[in-house]
Amino acid sequence: HMVMGRFAFLMFIILGASSASAGIINVLGEADEDRMGLSGKAVAAVEWSTGSVNELQIEGEMTTRYRWPKRLAFLVLRGEYAAEGGEAHATSTFEHLRYRHSLSDLLTLEGFLQHESDPFRRLAFRGLVGAGPRIKVASWQRGTLHFGTAYMSETEQTNSDPTTTDSNQNFHRHRWSNYLSLSTALTERVSLGQTLFAQPQFTDFGSIRYFSETTVGIEIEGHLALNLQYVVRYDTAPYQAVPDTDTELKTELEWAF
């Protein structure tokens, strides 16, 4: 067991690599646990980023869930520390609360609240609230496919950057958030998750944020798992000095409880 644990930790350090995040952050996979009552997980990742940023990043995440027979509530807390040349220069925070109420085996209603700050995306503040239906499109012995659609009210404040014309400005937008979420077991120890998002503005359908996340989860032993993750984000109307496209490849070590 100790040999396996050391091997997992070594893989976790070696494989961590990404570019800076931008746009949507996926939390849908945090609700995959079907166990009733209280459950959760803790995740850690080390990343070396290139692209819009070039630095070492350390991420930590904690998810807490509580499931009733027809209801689910979960809270995701995430933090990121970034250093360049051995000196800390940026941190980002993320908090997401989501509640679901099942009306039938096929139809669920969900609502969510979110706050985040991210200097990589020039976000001094981002807050949003939304609600809508979640539909089970298909299910099979080892997996499910869901479609969700929601109205989302979003408020953002850009950070201070004298080289841009949108410095320290507030923006309020109404978005239509849509997603497809696939979760399936490939073997007894290996799972696959795929999530696709599209979030156009109601007032400007040419302004859309796209997101794709592919995750392969590998159970190591007991409550310990290794997640290999690839993310692509595209924003048709990013803030000044922020790339419209970012990709992220990383490895996470996960402990579930």
Side-chain angles (χ1 to χ4, degrees):
H1 292 312
M2 287 187 67
V3 172
M4 180 65 74
R6 288 173 181 172
F7 173 76
F9 181 75
L10 181 60
M11 291 290 290
F12 155 72
I13 294 295
I14 292 175
L15 292 177
S18 76
S19 69
S21 62
I24 305 164
I25 297 177
N26 181 35
V27 298
L28 300 180
E30 313 302 342
D32 286 345
E33 174 61 55
D34 291 329
R35 181 155 45 98
M36 293 295 164
L38 184 66
S39 63
K41 68 178 184 179
V43 175
V46 176
E47 308 174 13
W48 177 253
S49 300
T50 61
S52 53
V53 292
N54 294 273
E55 69 224 328
L56 174 69
Q57 300 178 38
I58 301 173
E59 295 182 12
E61 179 182 307
M62 174 69 74
T63 299
T64 304
R65 294 177 291 257
Y66 198 93
R67 185 181 292 276
W68 299 265
K70 291 188 176 182
R71 294 175 293 152
L72 168 70
F74 66 93
L75 174 66
V76 180
L77 304 175
R78 181 180 300 168
E80 182 175 327
Y81 164 87
E84 187 172 9
E87 295 185 6
H89 68 94
T91 58
S92 61
T93 60
F94 174 89
E95 304 89 37
H96 183 100
L97 176 65
R98 185 171 292 242
Y99 174 80
R100 290 177 178 163
H101 186 91
S102 177
L103 300 181
S104 69
D105 183 55
L106 299 179
L107 179 62
T108 298
L109 298 180
E110 60 182 355
F112 51 89
L113 295 168
Q114 182 175 304
H115 163 266
E116 63 180 301
S117 62
D118 189 345
F120 305 125
R121 290 183 283 146
R122 296 193 51 231
L123 287 178
F125 171 87
R126 182 180 189 237
L128 59 88
V129 58
R134 171 181 166 93
I135 302 167
K136 183 187 291 185
V137 177
S139 63
W140 51 97
Q141 184 177 2
R142 290 189 167 188
T144 57
L145 175 65
H146 287 89
F147 168 73
T149 185
Y151 162 76
M152 188 175 81
S153 176
E154 171 190 79
T155 299
E156 295 182 343
Q157 179 184 0
T158 56
N159 65 4
S160 178
D161 187 340
T163 66
T164 65
T165 60
D166 57 5
S167 178
N168 286 322
Q169 292 189 23
N170 294 314
F171 300 90
H172 183 68
R173 306 180 182 94
H174 302 276
R175 291 191 182 273
W176 182 21
S177 180
N178 303 276
Y179 68 81
L180 278 173
S181 179
L182 167 72
S183 178
T184 188
L186 301 179
T187 70
E188 290 186 1
R189 289 184 174 268
V190 180
S191 61
L192 171 67
Q194 176 65 56
T195 301
L196 301 171
F197 269 96
Q199 294 182 340
Q201 285 192 56
F202 276 109
T203 56
D204 181 7
F205 269 70
S207 176
I208 309 176
R209 288 174 176 172
Y210 296 100
F211 172 94
S212 171
E213 179 182 277
T214 305
T215 303
V216 176
I218 305 170
E219 180 184 333
I220 299 173
E221 56 178 336
H223 299 283
L224 193 63
L226 193 68
N227 297 327
L228 310 177
Q229 194 173 88
Y230 182 67
V231 176
V232 179
R233 298 178 178 89
Y234 177 69
D235 189 345
T236 63
Y239 293 119
Q240 294 178 27
V242 177
D244 60 7
T245 305
D246 275 298
T247 62
E248 181 177 335
L249 175 63
K250 66 181 178 180
T251 303
E252 300 175 333
L253 194 62
E254 174 187 314
W255 178 74
F257 59 91

